[in-house]
Amino acid sequence: MSESKTEKFSSIEGVVGKEHSDISEDERKKVLKTMEVIFRDQEEFKKYLLREFKDFEEIPNDSFKTIFYEKEKTPGELEIIDIVNKKTNELRKKFGFTDLSIPPKNIYIIPYNAPWPKEAEGSSSYYSPIGQFIVIREAESDIARSSKTVLAWKILHEMIHFKSYNSLKQLEDSSFDGHIVGLGSSDGDNDESFLSGLNEAVTEELTTRIMDKLKDHPRFKKEMELTNELKKRLSDIKTADGEPLLSGEEFFIGLNKDNKKIYLEYKELAEEREALNELIEKIFKKNPDKFKDREEVFNLFVKAVVTGDTVSLSQLIDNTFGKDTFKKLSKVRGGIEKEKEYIKDLN
Ligand SMILES: [Zn+2]
């Protein structure tokens, strides 16, 4: 996981061969170089896609097609990208890593009524390791669409993925695909993923904490103050079926111009975060002398996500729950539900 002292120009740190075999140093260098080219020149990447597949409709990957629908960014959006870049570079610096600044060209903002890839259904943003870009879908609600908090939140989440430890793996057909992002890994040959739920949870929790640090920033202060004020004002309001209107998971509450319409935007990945927090709670309780608070345990997860170095996390988990627990957890199949079950049974 070593890094050079110079600024990075691609998120990809490692490359593994088929079935995790080694690839030659020359090939590794070639792949890393290609990723740098894709990172630096998104225009050329788009041209390449059109050349390679002859026609836009023939591009086999919908998550690539989406980027052709991007809208031009406003100065306000460019400023938010800059703020988020600085905050995420601060995060890298904490772990001794150099800057990796994501150019605005690598962030595509897509109109809400443009085609959206099936594999990203249910989400309004994604990160493509192989394309070295982030895609954000504009909110359909005009209140959310004009919110700086909502946009910053989404870019921040994806940028944490982008700046986490990333590696590629060679597939059976010899092409390369994303393999590790942070704590999670995927296997394009069998369409499987491991620890992705916990990786998402750490990413969203980290997003929450970084956004909280931005609450006094002039770009977000007014919106965040209004959100907090509305949280207080709406705390007793019930919906038509008697449930509380607020769940406590809202990170943005906004009103339209005549104050007649309200819009709530929620933190994502509730189930994943629940699993992470249960694991942190168990580790914390079973190691009373080791940690002064849960945040210290959480920070070990952050370290593993950003650096890809899971040694201290896996040692802690093994010492707490028994030999090979981390290894077994890393091999749980079946997504977050199964990860959650595994964590529930730990003692
Ligand atoms: Zn994510």
Side-chain angles (χ1 to χ4, degrees), residues 9 33-49 67 103 105-106 108 131-133:
F9 293 100
K33 195 83 218 145
T34 305
M35 296 315 294
E36 276 194 22
V37 172
I38 296 175
F39 178 88
R40 284 177 193 264
D41 198 343
Q42 287 283 298
E43 280 311 313
E44 184 49 40
F45 175 64
K46 282 191 276 188
K47 280 185 205 154
Y48 161 81
L49 289 175
I67 63 178
K105 270 184 169 299
N106 299 48
Y108 297 89
Q132 294 289 291
F133 61 75

Side-chain angles (χ1 to χ4, degrees), residues 39-259:
F39 178 88
R40 284 177 193 264
D41 198 343
Q42 287 283 298
E43 280 311 313
E44 184 49 40
F45 175 64
K46 282 191 276 188
K47 280 185 205 154
Y48 161 81
L49 289 175
L50 292 173
R51 261 197 325 264
E52 182 76 9
F53 300 105
K54 311 275 191 292
D55 179 46
F56 173 74
E57 285 308 323
E58 299 303 315
I59 298 174
N61 187 332
D62 283 346
S63 63
F64 286 169
K65 273 187 186 166
T66 311
I67 63 178
F68 289 88
Y69 295 99
E70 78 163 325
K71 68 162 206 71
E72 206 183 319
K73 293 173 198 75
T74 64
E77 288 163 346
L78 292 170
E79 192 194 1
I80 286 173
I81 291 171
D82 185 52
I83 295 167
V84 175
N85 252 322
K86 286 188 177 122
K87 281 286 159 194
T88 39
N89 278 343
E90 280 172 22
L91 174 70
R92 285 176 60 81
K93 205 172 174 183
K94 250 194 215 167
F95 297 101
F97 287 169
T98 51
D99 284 356
L100 168 62
S101 294
I102 315 303
K105 270 184 169 299
N106 299 48
I107 299 169
Y108 297 89
I109 299 180
I110 311 297
Y112 66 87
N113 48 6
W116 188 248
K118 246 202 166 59
E119 59 260 45
E121 237 170 34
S123 180
S124 53
S125 58
Y126 59 91
Y127 156 59
S128 168
I130 201 79
Q132 294 289 291
F133 61 75
I134 286 169
V135 174
I136 308 286
R137 179 161 63 169
E138 275 195 314
E140 195 171 343
S141 148
D142 50 353
I143 305 173
R145 205 163 52 241
S146 58
S147 160
K148 296 177 174 68
T149 314
V150 172
L151 183 69
W153 192 286
K154 290 178 198 294
I155 296 178
L156 180 53
H157 177 106
E158 300 306 335
M159 231 189 236
I160 293 171
H161 287 320
F162 210 138
K163 300 189 186 190
S164 295
Y165 178 76
N166 271 237
S167 75
L168 298 183
K169 180 174 177 282
Q170 192 169 30
L171 303 181
E172 282 304 321
D173 66 4
S174 293
S175 67
F176 286 87
D177 198 11
H179 176 43
I180 294 175
V181 174
L183 204 52
S185 66
S186 57
D187 186 339
D189 283 324
N190 318 307
D191 211 14
E192 281 186 314
S193 65
F194 303 95
L195 285 183
S196 310
L198 282 180
N199 184 55
E200 287 298 339
V202 175
T203 304
E204 187 73 351
E205 288 290 359
L206 198 51
T207 302
T208 308
R209 284 157 174 78
I210 296 175
M211 283 305 294
D212 192 54
K213 284 191 194 133
L214 284 168
K215 65 177 184 289
D216 292 320
H217 191 286
R219 283 294 158 269
F220 307 107
K221 197 172 191 305
K222 249 169 84 181
E223 275 185 16
M224 293 206 190
E225 278 174 359
L226 179 65
T227 294
N228 284 332
E229 192 196 315
L230 288 169
K231 272 188 185 172
K232 280 184 210 141
R233 262 168 46 196
L234 299 169
S235 62
D236 294 331
I237 304 288
K238 300 238 184 328
T239 60
D241 40 4
E243 295 295 319
L245 175 68
L246 301 184
S247 68
E249 292 279 278
E250 299 80 8
F251 71 79
F252 168 79
I253 308 178
L255 296 165
N256 71 342
K257 282 198 184 74
D258 56 10
N259 287 356

